[in-house]
């Protein structure tokens, strides 16, 4: 066979499940090792590649976790041959390459369903590149409740996320800036909305989920949820002026009454408001005395008309000076435009109503990209949801005739602010991440600094979508509580930013690296399926 | 028929033959065969020598060129003989397939030795087991013998480079424990990448 023929054969073999090598050693605990066939160039085998191993009774599915060089004789390393011919001769005899595999699933020959592995393939079992049929067997085909999110490396078959399982638990999208987190998150949310599996609430700090978002690199406008789903999605704006500047017509303006703000909301903002421990205790005392609904208003009023000293004089354990400082700090909250003395239209109530009716809410923060506004609104709304869903669920459990509240997915950007080890135990978000699954509420955590998230909460995340991460701590914390974290870390280290993500967890049969599908195609198809009329077609459907 | 010699000694592993014309023996490392009518034994030429026909009388220096010798003392050529040895590597029964291992009985003395045809060489060397057989002969210059045999076989194969790589791997595999030995053979059969493969 001439070299051209060889090259041609190698090329055509790439289209099917070409054999890569044979199993030579391994264990269930440590993973298995295969020796590459001599005609397979080590440089062609990429970490993350999806492969199958054909045992006598089962077909095993795995990703390539490592590629290694090996030699049979130490002498060859002392004097490495510099001649191309000699190198070629020694390849496969004195020198060879191996790959590390960790089979996760198997399918018995002649059966349908995949199962977790409890054994390993025998010696010399053939390792092949997985075919598209293999991918379809493991990761399912597109269906009403399964979302194709991308394709395994160098393959053309879809990897689907099981959305029914996805919405059942809190999940996360991680990745450093510019890895396409918001595109992925939008895709997941659109999938959920399309499948009608849950109501979706998005705290949209950077205005990326309502109408449009802009691709930072290409400056191309990407359609967001409202643009895709129309009236099923409501936009609430914290900063209507900014919305108008971006030609977005919000459905509602967010208005928060002072009476809506509770001590817990402010505790979350401790660092933003510079609150000392003593001041937190003061707030709790005042709330107890003056009522949880009216303490803040009364405090600010007293501060304004100079009657604060008299007001707090009679309260034991509270010092006037400390309370004055507290009131000054809390002015920062009261001065926010969306915080009103009293409101006629309670935004939180509207949102809850919409969400209970299985509609979807995006809260845009417009130009208000300060954490104070973002966290305050998020906390107040989420706390209300927590109360309401819990109530509805308990009612439904007590009375079988009543329906359960709909599944709700709360999308939280910059999640480490809410779920830091300090905040996680005090705030409503920690509670939701830990236990609200029982009440049909889950979080979709979107963050670029996963190491800032409380370890216990991180370990409870159901499904993770992980883009490239540079920081060591971030890399180890995204895999917190995941079996085989060390092996997955290798895959994580080799992700191509913006293109590839590592998927794993509850909604997927096994962890896998995929090339993410094109968002514009996805949005176009989803909108067509949702029956939304084309409006700004020429803006993005090119 | 290209007669290379007549067998004067034979065993199951080796044969010794005398060439019909002095100085016209086969090449070292070339493939030869001998047939007794029912079985053909194949071998690789492992040793070629020009000696006096009388073992007790060595040739002595005469101080003349061969041209002068032919003219003045033509009997000198008659006193010399060319002998060669071949290592047996395979055999075939009449109308049978080629067996790439030693024959059950030695070739007969006085049978003639001939060169193998290119087709026979390809058949004989395709599966590379001759390399192992030669490796096991224990002769002192085994590296040279194996390298010469591979070189002489490679020219008859479709893609010389591919064949040399395969053969080299067989060598590397055979002498796994002795990298020096293996690499000395491999260096003796290497082709430079620029060299055009002979068809």
């Amino acid at each position: 066979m001439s070299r051209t023929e060889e090259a041609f054969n190698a090329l055509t073999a790439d289209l099917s499940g070409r054999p890569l090598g044979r199993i030579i050693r391994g264990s269930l605990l440590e993973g298995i090792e295969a020796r590459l066939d001599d005609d397979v160039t080590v440089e062609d085998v990429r970490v993350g590649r999806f492969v199958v191993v054909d045992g006598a009774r089962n077909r095993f599915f795995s990703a390539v976790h490592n590629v290694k060089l090996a030699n049979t004789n130490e002498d060859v390393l002392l004097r490495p041959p510099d001649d191309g011919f000699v190198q070629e001769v020694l390849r496969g005899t004195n020198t060879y390459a191996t790959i590390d595999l960790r089979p996760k699933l198997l399918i018995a020959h002649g059966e349908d369903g995949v199962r977790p592995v409890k054994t390993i393939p025998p010696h010399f079992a053939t390792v092949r590149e997985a075919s598209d049929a293999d991918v379809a067997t493991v990761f399912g085909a597109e269906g009403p409740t399964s979302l194709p999110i991308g394709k395994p490396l160098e393959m053309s078959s879809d990897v689907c996320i099981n959305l029914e399982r996805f919405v059942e638990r809190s999940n996360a999208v991680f990745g450093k800036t510019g890895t396409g987190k918001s595109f992925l998150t939008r895709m997941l949310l659109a999938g959920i909305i399309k499948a009608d599996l849950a109501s979706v609430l998005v705290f949209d700090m950077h205005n990326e989920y309502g109408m449009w978002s802009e691709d930072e690199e290409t400056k191309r406008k990407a359609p967001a949820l409202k643009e895709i789903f129309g009236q099923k999605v409501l936009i609430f704006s914290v900063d209507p002026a900014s919305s108008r500047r971006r030609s977005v017509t919000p459905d509602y303006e967010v208005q928060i009454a002072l009476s809506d703000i509770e001590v817990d909301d402010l505790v979350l903002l401790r660092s933003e408001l510079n609150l000392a421990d003593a001041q937190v205790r003061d707030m709790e005392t005042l709330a107890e005395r003056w009522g949880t609904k009216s303490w803040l208003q009364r405090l600010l009023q007293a501060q304004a008309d100079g009657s604060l000293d008299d007001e707090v004089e009679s309260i034991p354990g509270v010092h006037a000076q400390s309370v004055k400082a507290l009131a000054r700090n809390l002015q920062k909250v009261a001065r926010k435009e969306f915080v009103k003395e009293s409101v006629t239209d309670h935004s939180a109530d509207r949102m809850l109503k919409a969400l209970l009716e299985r509609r979807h809410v995006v809260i845009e923060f417009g130009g208000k990209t300060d954490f104070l506004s973002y966290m305050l609104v998020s906390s107040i709304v989420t706390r209300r949801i927590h109360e309401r869903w819990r109530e509805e669920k308990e009612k439904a459990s007590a009375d079988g005739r009543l329906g359960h509240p709909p599944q709700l997915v709360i999308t939280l950007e910059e999640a480490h602010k809410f779920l830091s080890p300090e905040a996680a135990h005090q705030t409503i978000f920690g509670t939701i991440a830990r236990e609200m699954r029982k009440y049909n509420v889950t979080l979709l955590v979107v963050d670029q600094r996963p190491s800032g998230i409380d370890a216990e909460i991180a370990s409870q995340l159901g499904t993770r979508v992980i883009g490239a991460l540079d920081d060591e701590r971030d890399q180890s914390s995204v895999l917190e509580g995941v079996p085989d974290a060390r092996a997955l870390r290798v895959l994580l280290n080799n992700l191509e930013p913006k293109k590839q993500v590592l998927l794993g967890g509850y909604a997927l049969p096994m962890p896998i690296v995929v090339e993410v599908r094109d968002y514009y195609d996805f949005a176009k198809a989803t909108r067509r399926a949702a029956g939304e009329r084309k409006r700004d077609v020429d803006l993005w459907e090119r | 028929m290209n007669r290379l010699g007549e067998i004067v000694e034979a065993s199951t592993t080796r044969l010794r033959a005398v060439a019909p014309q002095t100085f016209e023996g086969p090449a070292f490392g070339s493939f030869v065969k001998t047939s007794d009518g029912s079985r053909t034994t194949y071998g690789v030429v492992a040793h070629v020598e020009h000696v006096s026909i009388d073992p007790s009388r060595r040739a002595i220096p005469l101080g003349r060129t061969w041209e002068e010798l032919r003219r003045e003392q033509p009997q000198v050529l008659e006193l010399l003989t060319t002998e060669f040895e071949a290592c047996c590597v395979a055999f075939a029964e009449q109308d049978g397939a080629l067996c790439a291992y030693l024959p059950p009985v030695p070739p007969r003395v006085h049978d003639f030795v001939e060169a193998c045809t290119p087709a026979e060489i390809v058949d004989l060397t395709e599966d590379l087991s001759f390399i192992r057989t030669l490796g096991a002969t224990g002769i002192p210059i085994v590296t040279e013998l194996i390298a010469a045999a591979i070189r002489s076989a490679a020219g008859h194969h479709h893609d010389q480079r591919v064949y040399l790589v395969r053969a080299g791997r067989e060598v590397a595999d055979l002498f796994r424990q002795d990298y020096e030995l293996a690499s000395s053979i491999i260096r003796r059969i290497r082709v430079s990448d620029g060299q055009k493969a002979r068809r």
Side-chain angles (χ1 to χ4, degrees):
Chain A
M1 196 164 44
S2 75
R3 300 178 94 182
T4 6
E5 280 172 288
E6 273 181 76
F8 176 76
N9 286 350
L11 193 72
T12 47
D14 273 348
L15 301 174
S16 64
R18 132 179 111 127
L20 291 175
R22 290 180 184 279
I23 298 300
I24 50 171
R25 67 170 74 89
S27 72
L28 191 56
L29 205 60
E30 301 287 328
I32 53 175
E33 189 177 350
R35 181 202 195 283
L36 281 190
D37 286 344
D38 297 336
D39 56 351
V40 177
T41 315
V42 64
E43 292 165 72
D44 286 347
V45 183
R46 288 160 69 188
V47 162
R49 186 84 164 81
F50 189 49
V51 298
V52 298
V53 185
D54 277 321
R57 296 196 194 141
N58 304 298
R59 172 171 291 178
F60 297 78
F61 299 94
S62 175
V64 175
H65 280 269
N66 200 0
V67 188
K68 295 186 294 196
L69 297 177
N71 56 292
T72 53
N73 189 320
E74 290 301 312
D75 291 344
V76 68
L77 305 186
L78 287 175
R79 274 196 285 143
D82 52 3
D83 180 278
F85 175 77
V86 179
Q87 288 172 0
E88 190 174 344
V89 168
L90 295 184
R91 187 180 313 139
T93 51
N94 288 49
T95 62
Y96 58 100
T98 64
I99 51 178
D100 285 348
L101 307 176
R102 282 181 172 264
K104 287 277 166 223
L105 294 171
L106 62 78
I107 183 165
H109 290 321
E111 281 181 25
D112 279 341
V114 287
R115 284 180 285 152
V117 292
K118 292 206 170 57
T119 180
I120 54 173
H123 265 111
F124 316 131
T126 310
V127 180
R128 289 191 299 105
E129 289 178 338
S131 66
D132 287 334
D134 292 322
V135 178
T137 308
V138 176
F139 295 98
E142 180 169 11
T145 60
S146 63
L147 170 72
I149 191 149
K151 299 176 193 307
L153 305 188
E154 296 156 37
M155 306 203 65
S156 56
S157 198
D158 287 318
V159 167
C160 296
I161 286 193
N162 181 333
L163 291 173
E164 265 173 291
R165 284 169 79 90
F166 188 78
V167 298
E168 274 175 32
R169 298 198 177 173
S170 286
N171 307 302
V173 178
F174 293 129
K176 65 178 180 188
T177 325
T179 48
K181 284 193 301 295
S182 69
F183 279 84
L184 271 165
T185 310
R186 271 201 304 276
M187 212 186 285
L188 290 165
L189 294 176
I192 294 169
I193 295 174
K194 186 183 163 202
D196 198 21
L197 286 169
S199 301
V200 164
L201 168 64
V202 187
F203 295 112
D204 184 8
M205 187 163 182
H206 307 294
N207 315 312
E208 295 171 315
Y209 296 90
M211 291 304 285
W212 304 100
S213 84
E214 195 179 76
D215 189 311
E216 285 155 23
E217 261 174 40
T218 61
K219 300 291 170 208
R220 191 173 167 191
K221 259 180 137 186
L225 299 178
K226 177 116 182 163
E227 176 58 26
I228 298 176
F229 293 103
Q231 281 310 306
K232 274 174 136 179
V233 178
L234 300 178
I235 297 181
F236 283 71
S237 179
V238 175
D239 185 358
S242 151
S243 300
R244 276 192 295 277
R245 279 197 299 278
R246 288 177 290 114
S247 323
V248 171
T249 318
D251 296 278
Y252 300 99
E253 199 177 310
V254 173
Q255 295 186 338
I256 303 282
L258 280 178
S259 60
D260 288 334
I261 302 174
E262 294 190 6
V263 175
D264 283 351
D265 303 325
L266 298 170
V267 169
L268 184 68
L269 298 167
R270 275 181 72 161
S271 61
E272 271 69 23
L273 292 172
N274 286 326
L275 297 181
D277 285 350
Q279 291 175 317
V280 172
R281 281 197 299 278
D282 288 346
M283 291 198 294
E284 281 160 358
T285 314
L286 294 177
E288 206 176 295
R289 281 262 163 170
W290 296 342
T292 49
K293 290 275 177 204
S294 50
W295 71 275
L296 183 56
Q297 203 166 0
R298 190 161 161 188
L299 173 69
L300 296 174
Q301 187 61 46
Q303 165 86 342
D305 57 25
S307 60
L308 195 55
D309 283 326
D310 300 337
E311 287 269 18
V312 299
E313 205 176 30
S314 58
I315 307 175
V318 171
H319 298 287
Q321 283 313 314
S322 155
V323 173
K324 270 184 192 163
L326 172 67
R328 273 196 304 278
N329 284 342
L330 295 183
Q331 283 292 350
K332 274 192 216 161
V333 174
R335 275 199 298 269
K336 290 286 166 200
E337 276 165 49
F338 57 89
V339 177
K340 316 270 183 195
E341 290 240 340
S342 64
V343 295
T344 45
D345 181 27
H346 283 273
S347 302
D349 288 342
R350 275 199 185 278
M351 291 177 201
L352 257 62
K353 184 162 174 287
L355 293 170
L356 283 167
E357 286 167 354
R358 306 187 76 101
R359 293 171 86 182
H360 314 280
V361 172
V362 175
I363 305 177
E364 280 195 353
F365 286 79
K368 302 271 183 286
T369 47
D370 57 302
F371 280 108
L372 183 57
S373 306
Y374 182 57
M375 292 168 79
L376 183 64
V377 173
S378 310
S379 176
I380 291 169
V381 173
T382 307
R383 195 163 38 70
R384 294 287 301 277
I385 287 170
H386 175 241
E387 283 159 17
R388 184 65 183 274
W389 251 255
R390 195 177 178 130
E391 206 175 283
E392 294 278 332
K393 185 80 183 182
E394 279 164 0
K395 272 199 271 177
S397 306
D399 185 345
R401 286 167 303 178
L402 292 172
H404 289 267
Q407 194 75 39
L408 173 64
V409 175
I410 301 179
T411 307
L412 208 54
E413 293 211 300
E414 308 287 349
H416 64 273
K417 285 273 180 189
F418 303 88
L419 297 169
S420 64
E422 307 81 53
H425 293 281
Q426 297 172 8
T427 66
I428 191 66
F429 296 98
T431 315
I432 290 183
R434 277 193 301 270
E435 60 185 54
M436 278 302 276
R437 193 156 71 82
K438 290 182 285 213
Y439 303 107
N440 295 7
V441 181
T442 56
L443 292 181
L444 176 57
V445 168
V446 182
D447 207 315
Q448 50 179 314
R449 296 306 315 264
S451 57
I453 293 176
D454 182 55
E456 190 200 336
I457 287 174
S459 70
Q460 287 188 13
L461 292 168
T463 306
R464 288 154 221 243
V465 178
I466 311 169
L469 287 166
D470 289 338
D471 191 283
E472 285 265 325
R473 282 170 308 157
D474 288 337
Q475 290 186 348
S476 53
S477 60
V478 286
L479 296 171
E480 192 82 48
V482 176
D484 267 342
R486 205 164 57 100
L488 292 175
R489 180 91 178 253
V490 180
L491 301 186
L492 192 56
N493 264 321
N494 287 285
L495 292 177
E496 223 173 292
K498 235 181 144 65
K499 276 197 193 147
Q500 301 171 351
V501 291
L502 172 63
L503 302 172
Y506 188 62
L508 287 143
M510 63 181 272
I512 186 160
V513 174
V514 300
E515 305 249 356
V516 181
R517 70 191 282 193
D518 180 71
Y519 179 77
Y520 296 89
D521 290 345
F522 164 81
K524 204 191 293 184
T526 311
R527 186 163 76 158
R528 199 169 298 137
E532 260 311 290
R533 279 185 39 233
K534 290 181 178 181
R535 287 189 296 268
D536 292 318
V537 174
D538 47 340
L539 279 174
W540 56 280
E541 282 200 5
R542 278 177 279 176
Chain B
M1 191 196 292
N2 183 13
R3 214 172 264 178
L4 292 174
E6 182 178 332
I7 299 176
V8 291
E9 268 175 45
S11 71
T12 45
T13 54
R14 281 195 218 184
L15 60 86
R16 185 172 182 88
V18 176
Q21 300 291 326
T22 305
F23 300 146
E24 288 183 15
F28 177 69
S30 63
F31 289 82
V32 295
K33 64 178 175 181
T34 174
S35 177
D36 63 7
S38 64
R39 179 185 300 115
T40 306
T41 303
Y42 298 92
V44 176
V45 176
H47 182 70
V48 186
E49 61 184 6
H50 308 304
V51 290
S52 166
I53 48 170
D54 181 351
S56 60
R57 291 187 57 184
R58 262 177 22 151
I60 50 165
L62 297 171
R64 288 174 169 81
T65 65
W66 265 106
E67 216 167 279
E68 290 163 343
L69 284 176
R70 279 206 187 88
R71 205 168 47 235
E72 298 165 17
Q73 295 183 286
Q75 78 282 4
V76 169
L77 204 59
E78 300 301 316
L79 296 173
L80 294 171
T81 179
T82 293
E83 294 185 21
F84 61 90
E85 280 181 18
C87 294
C88 301
V89 293
F91 69 96
E93 302 291 350
Q94 199 170 25
D95 302 328
L98 190 87
C99 304
Y101 42 87
L102 295 182
V105 294
R108 287 188 313 198
V109 172
H110 296 305
D111 275 339
F112 297 114
V113 179
E114 294 165 35
C116 288
T117 64
E120 281 170 327
I121 294 174
V122 170
D123 265 4
L124 200 58
T125 56
E126 183 57 38
D127 82 340
L128 302 171
S129 49
F130 73 97
I131 295 175
R132 284 175 189 270
T133 312
L134 292 180
T137 54
I139 59 174
I141 45 146
V142 71
T143 51
E144 291 290 352
L145 176 60
I146 291 174
I150 292 172
R151 281 195 309 262
S152 82
H156 298 284
H157 284 266
H158 174 61
D159 188 328
Q160 180 170 295
R161 191 178 197 284
V162 169
Y163 183 78
L164 287 174
V165 169
R166 269 181 59 212
R169 286 182 177 165
E170 186 75 10
V171 168
D173 203 27
L174 178 61
F175 298 109
R176 224 180 2 262
Q177 303 306 329
D178 192 343
Y179 174 67
E180 272 314 304
L181 186 65
S183 65
S184 72
I185 298 176
I186 294 165
R187 279 197 300 272
R188 282 171 166 79
I189 63 168
R190 86 179 141 197
V191 281
S192 69
D193 283 324
Q195 190 176 326
K196 212 175 161 218
R198 215 189 318 160
R199 292 289 167 105

